[in-house]
Amino acid sequence: MNLPPAEFRAFYESHFDFVWRSLRRLGAREADTMDLAQKVFLAAFRKLPEFEGRARTTTWLFAICHRVVSDYRRSAAFRREVATDVDELNGRVELNHAEASGESRQSMRLAEAILSKLPEPQRVVFVLFELEEMSGQDIAALLDVPIGTVRSRLRLARECFRREVKRLSAAGPAKEAV
Amino acid sequence: MSDPVRLLSGVSDANDAERALLSSIRSVDPPQGARDEAWAMLAGQMAAISLVGASTAAGAEALGAKGGLAWGSKALLLKLGALFVVGSAGAGAYWVHSQPAQHAVAAPTVSSRAALSPTTVAAPLASAEPVTESVLEPSPKAAAALAPSREPVKRPDALAEESSLLADARAALRRGDTNTAEVGLRRLRTRFPTGALRQERQVLSIELLNARGEILQAQAEARRFLAAYPTSPHGEKLRRFLGER
């Protein structure tokens, strides 16, 4: 029986949550994340022997996540479904009056909807900097772009993020989003 | 020039709403059981890759570099497993557990299907795939007939098609469309009764039963599956399913 190497299972166990979170933050819908996570680990399984350790493992995995999600977001099915979700959220999400049990989920959906509106280069930088807490230099190295480009994308992403939060907050109490 | 202050930092000028939203998406952890479920599905696909020879792997790299392989919209298996299983141990491309190896891509013949021993086929599932038929181990004669062959695989696209159908059925079930999932599973079973992804198909059938509320039937099929494949990577998930009931 040709079992996967125990080392890879350990690698998988150690990084599954990170990959899941990264995919979700990069815009993967919850229902699709299982399949996308498999794609990421299949790619990692193939590429791991080539991994030279010049970057952190999580940075390397994030790069794979980024490529997988980029492809996924280009798919027609994703664009159609996300458009529906964003329309659903627009104008009917209330930030401060949801019940405690549903509040975080509602906020999460709203945050996902806002992030999905960002152009992909900006979203990636925003996620890496604000959520993964990577430095600008590390992001520049990961994306192979100048540090100035990273800062420019971050600035634009923040402006868009804040504009959307302000707009949706101004909508006031509304129906439950979910 | 240093990095700007992060929005979630205590000294940033982010307001409460911005902080709340960012914090919410910071902890999008996977649901319980997702890790095991993904691993169970991943194992078979990794096996398909592992069984591909070095030369074909090199081919995969070449195609991957052209953007035509690794980042397709369907599972990586569709291309890795299907395109490069040719000439390798395609018949065993699926992760072989304790079962006799089934031919992964060769179209099953009437005689090979008939040689299976569906002794409990009299109790098929009411609406989903009759797992009972396909769960059973083939007879020794059938097993020999279905054993991996060293001959070149004749239908390298078959595994891709099987995987694609399975992915579609799974996606339908995940979004709650049980009717479409059932149609997909039936189609899978018709086209690939002894396919490389047979275990995945059967587990999905059990999930379908469960989703429809046919709990007892699902449990019975889960036990039958575990008896047939005691070391399957799906075993842990199914045992957990049985233990929770």
Side-chain angles (χ1 to χ4, degrees), chain A residues 88-111 113-114 164-178, chain B residues 16-18 20-21 24:
Chain A
E88 179 184 325
L89 285 165
N90 275 346
R92 60 189 194 121
V93 174
E94 186 270 305
L95 292 179
N96 301 313
H97 297 82
E99 292 182 5
S101 59
E103 185 174 16
S104 65
R105 182 166 182 81
Q106 187 177 357
S107 295
M108 190 187 304
R109 290 198 63 188
L110 180 55
I114 292 174
E164 285 299 307
V165 172
K166 187 175 181 180
R167 184 176 70 82
L168 293 171
S169 298
K175 291 181 287 185
E176 287 285 336
V178 180
Chain B
D16 290 344
E18 291 165 352
L21 285 177
S24 72

Side-chain angles (χ1 to χ4, degrees), chain A residues 1-5 8-9 12-14 16-17 20-22 24-25 30-31 34-35 37-43 45-47 50 63-64 67-68 71-72 74-75 81 95-96 104 106-112 114-115 126 128-137 147 151 154 158 161-163 165-166 169, chain B residues 1-9 12-31 33-43 45-47 49-51 57 60-62 64-65 67 69-77 80 95-98 167 170-171 174-175 231 236:
Chain A
M1 190 162 68
N2 190 7
L3 288 173
F8 190 79
R9 179 66 190 261
Y12 171 88
E13 294 285 341
S14 300
F16 182 80
D17 288 5
W20 183 283
R21 284 195 300 270
S22 298
R24 297 280 283 122
R25 290 168 177 171
E30 187 170 8
M34 181 76 79
D35 287 341
Q38 290 175 56
K39 285 187 183 181
V40 170
F41 279 106
L42 278 175
F45 179 67
R46 291 176 54 240
K47 299 283 187 182
E50 303 167 20
I64 298 176
R67 296 174 66 184
V68 167
D71 183 76
Y72 155 78
R74 281 195 294 271
S75 71
E81 291 173 8
L95 292 179
N96 301 313
S104 65
Q106 187 177 357
S107 295
M108 190 187 304
R109 290 198 63 188
L110 180 55
E112 289 170 2
I114 292 174
L115 289 184
F126 187 83
L128 287 172
F129 185 80
E130 303 289 0
L131 302 174
E132 295 299 330
E133 299 188 353
M134 285 177 65
S135 71
Q137 287 291 355
I147 181 67
R151 294 201 170 116
L154 178 62
R158 281 181 164 186
F161 176 77
R162 291 183 139 165
R163 189 167 57 243
V165 172
K166 187 175 181 180
S169 298
Chain B
M1 187 174 172
S2 60
D3 289 336
V5 174
R6 289 188 174 80
L7 293 179
L8 285 175
S9 161
S12 83
D13 61 350
N15 62 36
D16 290 344
E18 291 165 352
R19 287 176 186 277
L21 285 177
L22 269 184
S23 297
S24 72
I25 204 169
R26 204 173 187 183
S27 54
V28 281
D29 290 328
R35 183 184 306 170
D36 292 338
E37 184 176 349
W39 178 259
M41 291 186 281
L42 193 59
Q45 300 177 40
M46 287 165 51
I49 297 172
S50 293
L51 289 174
E61 293 299 328
L69 177 66
W71 314 112
S73 57
K74 289 294 181 184
L76 193 60
L77 169 65
L80 277 175
W95 212 267
V96 181
H97 311 300
S98 60
R170 181 181 294 122
R174 294 283 181 269
R175 65 175 181 265
T231 60
E236 186 176 343

Side-chain angles (χ1 to χ4, degrees), chain B residues 161-186:
Chain B
E161 181 184 354
E162 184 183 5
S163 180
S164 178
L165 288 173
L166 184 68
D168 290 346
R170 181 181 294 122
L173 186 58
R174 294 283 181 269
R175 65 175 181 265
D177 186 353
T178 54
N179 289 334
T180 301
E182 180 186 349
V183 170
L185 286 168
R186 284 186 183 281

